[in-house]
Amino acid sequence: MATDLSVSVKDEPGGLAGVAKALGDAGVNIEGLAGLGGGGSGHIHLLVEDAAKARSAIEGAGYSIDGEREAVVLDVAGEDRPGSLAMIAGKASDAGVNLTACYAATRSRLVLVADDAAALRKAVGA
């Protein structure tokens, strides 16, 4: 199952590198990534297939996982045009689904995360 993990790191050189190294050493592929830093802390969203293995690797390296949610992953190859994201996000909005994260993934995919993955999947036709 595609899983979004939220990880907190210090906003300093090496935070992302440390998390990525822990996952790489454990044989976990990072399929999607979003990250922001500022105000002394960084926040990373990771798309992984093996959440248990990823969690073990990340926590074993001393990082904390703030959240773990099922991700809805859409193939958006050929959808790179003005208004595509508005259409997808609008479908979620029209269904009353609040998106908690959205980011790009490998192989022209879009990652959407919400509190209710089933409702999101239904709204966007995934």
Side-chain angles (χ1 to χ4, degrees), residues 111-126:
V111 180
L112 302 172
V113 182
D115 290 330
D116 188 341
L120 176 58
R121 190 174 290 103
K122 181 178 177 183
V124 298

Side-chain angles (χ1 to χ4, degrees), residues 29-98:
N29 189 41
I30 299 170
E31 296 189 26
L33 168 73
L36 296 169
S41 65
H43 195 74
I44 302 167
H45 281 267
L46 301 160
L47 178 68
V48 297
E49 282 296 325
D50 189 339
K53 192 173 184 182
R55 177 179 281 280
S56 177
I58 291 167
E59 291 177 341
Y63 299 96
S64 65
I65 294 178
D66 301 325
E68 178 177 329
R69 293 187 176 149
E70 180 181 351
V72 174
V73 183
L74 303 175
D75 180 354
V76 292
E79 299 296 323
D80 187 10
R81 61 182 180 271
S84 293
L85 180 58
M87 181 192 68
I88 294 166
K91 288 178 181 179
S93 175
D94 290 347
V97 176
N98 184 45

